[in-house]
Amino acid sequence: MDKLNITAALPEILLLVAACAVLLVDVFVKQADGEETKIDRLAIALLLLPAAATVWQIGSPAQVAFGGMYVADGLAHVLKLVSYLSVAATLVYARGYAIDRGMHRGELYALALFALLGQMIMISAGNLLVVYLGLELMSLSLYALAALRRDHAVSTEAAIKYFVLGALASGFLLYGMSMLYGGTGTLDLDRIAASMSGRTPANTTVIVFGVVFIVSGLAFKFGAVPFHMWVPDVYQGTPTVATLLIASAPKIATFAIAFRMLAEALPSVAVDWQQMLLVLSVLSMIVGNLVAIAQSNLKRMLAYSTIAQVGFVLLGMLSGVVGGSTDGMADAWSASMFYVVTYVLTTLGTFGVILLVARKGHEAEDIDDLKGLSKRAPGLAFVMLLLMFSLAGIPPTVGFYAKLAVLQSVVEAGMTWLAILAVLVSLIGAFYYLRIVKTVYFDEPLDAGPIAAAPGARAVMAVNGALILLLGLVPGPLMTLCLGAVRQAFGI
């Protein structure tokens, strides 16, 4: 029983109870005719329970549970708090959208919580089986969310593509994990690291072969080129609320399992996975930025933008290895973590604007739907400007500092040519981000009607925009928090 240490997994337990409660309340609590259900507010309120448990754990030494299969450290706490924030903001933004499209039902909110539970398990995984358990729980919930509009042919097609390619990615990861198990004889990440530290290069062949499949599976989940084919179709085809749930918090969970498996378990073969990440990063930045220019569909453009942004995340991850030495991994991975966290905040706001601009019978999916937004909703237009500036890396928004932190890490690793390439492709990306700003502020609106957004959604959007600006002006505390979390995870 001492090895169980159930209190370490208290946030996950509370979230599981919350998700089940949402399902039961939706079934047994009947609403009067014409009365809107408040199931979304219940889901958001119940999110406070695991959030409070996570906050309670902050500051304590790293804990393990279930015989070392679960890890509760600083990295897990920070990433989980960002995940709670992401899902809660999504549910606030989505209320009006879901009501207008008949999706305001318990399954939407229960699936969102179950997906979050899978992400939390991934973030705290200390064992390959736990990684896969969390991955499948998250993935299956997101597949169902993508197909939630059963009467919508495009949405169903996107869900099928997402399911098929997602299953392929899971298979890649599982095969790579089996290779690690075959080569080391253990599923525990810390034991894999210990087993690898004393091996000669001749004995690492099967491990490197497994790493190829693991990196490929992670690239699928990140949406990196050439494993990106699902991203544009899924972003465009799924309901926007599902798109936001797919585009935001899962990136945090994917970063977490990349950290657990590559940085913690496999630093001894870092030179090998560094080369793989290098190719993925360069291809993602080039293809993502170039193809995004040609898009007229806003969600599809943001999909290619995501691919390009993932390239920057991978830059931070690969720059911790210098000449075979992994001494700089803490600084490099903390820069990458900072980038992921700020990217999620930006994604929340961007898709939140799309959700608020959409109305019953009309999806705000084309860039032209944002024409003249400054005349219809000046506040939303200003937030959109901040968001586009952040994605483009323009000061004083947080995106500028996030890119700067990653580029500094790359330069310190001696890969100056890579930093120059990243800056050049970012200049290309600035074109389509600034095109959105031009559309919002200088084009005449196609629809002169006001935007009916709930006060709660407007308040969350205002906070979202303020964070983008405030973290750009004062990035130090968040950067310090990320560095401290990564250092604790490394045991430094």
Side-chain angles (χ1 to χ4, degrees):
M1 291 298 293
D2 292 338
K3 290 184 178 181
L4 289 180
N5 192 17
I6 293 177
T7 56
L10 186 60
E12 284 80 0
I13 295 171
L14 292 174
L15 183 58
L16 175 61
V17 172
C20 294
V22 169
L23 278 177
L24 292 174
V25 168
D26 184 61
V27 171
F28 291 107
V29 177
K30 303 298 181 183
Q31 301 290 320
D33 291 340
E35 183 181 353
E36 288 182 359
T37 177
K38 297 179 175 59
I39 195 71
D40 60 318
R41 296 171 188 175
L42 174 65
I44 295 170
L46 289 174
L47 271 177
L48 294 175
L49 296 176
T54 303
V55 170
W56 174 64
Q57 293 177 343
I58 290 178
S60 60
Q63 301 182 68
V64 295
F66 308 108
M69 298 176 73
Y70 174 96
V71 180
D73 54 13
L75 180 84
H77 300 330
V78 173
L79 294 182
K80 286 177 186 177
L81 288 174
V82 178
S83 298
Y84 302 141
L85 175 65
S86 173
V87 173
T90 299
L91 298 185
V92 172
Y93 290 146
R95 177 178 172 81
Y97 181 94
I99 291 174
D100 289 342
R101 285 151 186 81
M103 298 170 60
H104 189 60
R105 303 187 299 270
E107 54 262 38
L108 168 63
Y109 304 101
L111 285 170
L113 295 185
F114 278 119
L116 176 60
L117 178 60
Q119 292 155 22
M120 291 172 64
I121 293 172
M122 293 165 66
I123 289 170
S124 286
N127 181 282
L128 292 177
L129 284 181
V130 178
V131 169
Y132 195 72
L133 176 67
L135 178 67
E136 287 304 290
L137 178 56
M138 178 192 77
S139 298
L140 292 173
S141 300
L142 293 178
Y143 300 153
L145 282 167
L148 207 55
R149 292 186 68 183
R150 294 183 293 272
D151 58 340
H152 196 264
V154 176
S155 177
T156 304
E157 179 187 351
I160 292 173
K161 290 179 180 178
Y162 188 28
F163 171 71
V164 172
L165 294 174
L168 181 63
S170 298
F172 272 36
L173 272 173
L174 192 60
Y175 191 62
M177 291 175 187
S178 71
M179 290 289 176
L180 288 187
Y181 177 68
T184 62
T186 180
L187 293 170
D188 291 330
L189 297 178
D190 56 347
R191 292 182 181 178
I192 291 174
S195 174
M196 290 294 299
S197 61
R199 288 178 176 262
T200 60
N203 294 331
T204 63
T205 303
V206 68
I207 305 297
V208 174
F209 191 61
V211 168
V212 172
F213 284 94
I214 286 176
V215 171
S216 299
L218 291 172
F220 260 111
K221 295 302 179 182
F222 267 127
V225 177
F227 306 101
H228 68 291
M229 63 287 292
W230 64 272
V231 180
D233 291 340
V234 171
Y235 275 39
Q236 181 180 358
T238 55
T240 306
V241 57
T243 304
L244 182 48
L245 287 168
I246 292 169
S248 53
K251 294 292 187 290
I252 295 173
T254 305
F255 170 83
I257 61 172
F259 178 86
R260 301 293 186 195
M261 290 196 290
L262 299 181
E264 287 190 344
L266 297 168
S268 57
V269 291
V271 174
D272 298 291
W273 54 253
Q274 180 194 37
Q275 296 172 15
M276 303 176 205
L277 295 183
L278 177 62
V279 175
L280 293 172
S281 175
V282 171
L283 289 177
S284 298
M285 289 188 294
I286 293 175
V287 173
N289 281 307
L290 289 178
V291 180
I293 294 175
Q295 306 305 313
S296 60
N297 183 281
L298 182 58
K299 288 168 67 176
R300 200 171 184 86
M301 187 211 81
L302 291 172
Y304 283 105
S305 164
T306 295
I307 294 168
Q309 301 290 339
V310 163
F312 263 91
V313 175
L314 297 177
L315 274 185
M317 292 162 60
L318 68 89
S319 60
V321 183
V322 183
S325 172
T326 58
D327 294 340
M329 286 185 71
D331 292 335
W333 282 79
S334 64
S336 185
M337 178 178 170
F338 181 86
Y339 199 102
V340 169
V341 170
T342 56
Y343 167 72
V344 167
L345 290 176
T346 310
T347 299
L348 283 173
T350 306
F351 282 97
V353 171
I354 297 174
L355 285 168
L356 298 185
V357 173
R359 61 183 186 277
K360 191 171 184 178
H362 177 72
E363 300 281 346
E365 292 187 352
D366 290 329
I367 294 176
D368 288 347
D369 291 321
L370 296 181
K371 282 186 174 182
L373 182 62
S374 61
K375 298 180 176 64
R376 301 172 61 197
L380 274 183
F382 181 67
V383 172
M384 195 64 171
L385 178 143
L386 291 176
L387 295 167
M388 292 300 105
F389 276 16
S390 182
L391 287 171
I394 299 174
T397 58
V398 70
F400 167 76
Y401 189 82
K403 281 184 168 57
L404 180 62
V406 169
L407 291 174
Q408 284 178 335
S409 178
V410 173
V411 171
E412 289 172 2
M415 294 180 280
T416 308
W417 68 270
L418 190 56
I420 294 172
L421 176 64
V423 171
L424 292 176
V425 293
S426 293
L427 291 176
I428 296 173
F431 169 80
Y432 56 86
Y433 294 128
L434 295 179
R435 181 177 63 182
I436 300 295
V437 175
K438 175 257 182 189
T439 301
V440 166
Y441 275 93
F442 298 105
D443 289 356
E444 290 299 319
L446 299 178
D447 182 358
I451 294 174
R458 289 185 178 272
V460 173
M461 182 60 69
V463 173
N464 203 159
L467 283 174
I468 297 299
L469 187 58
L470 181 62
L471 291 174
L473 294 172
V474 190
L478 180 58
M479 191 68 222
T480 302
L481 184 65
C482 291
L483 181 59
V486 171
R487 285 181 175 272
Q488 186 186 31
F490 276 127
I492 301 176

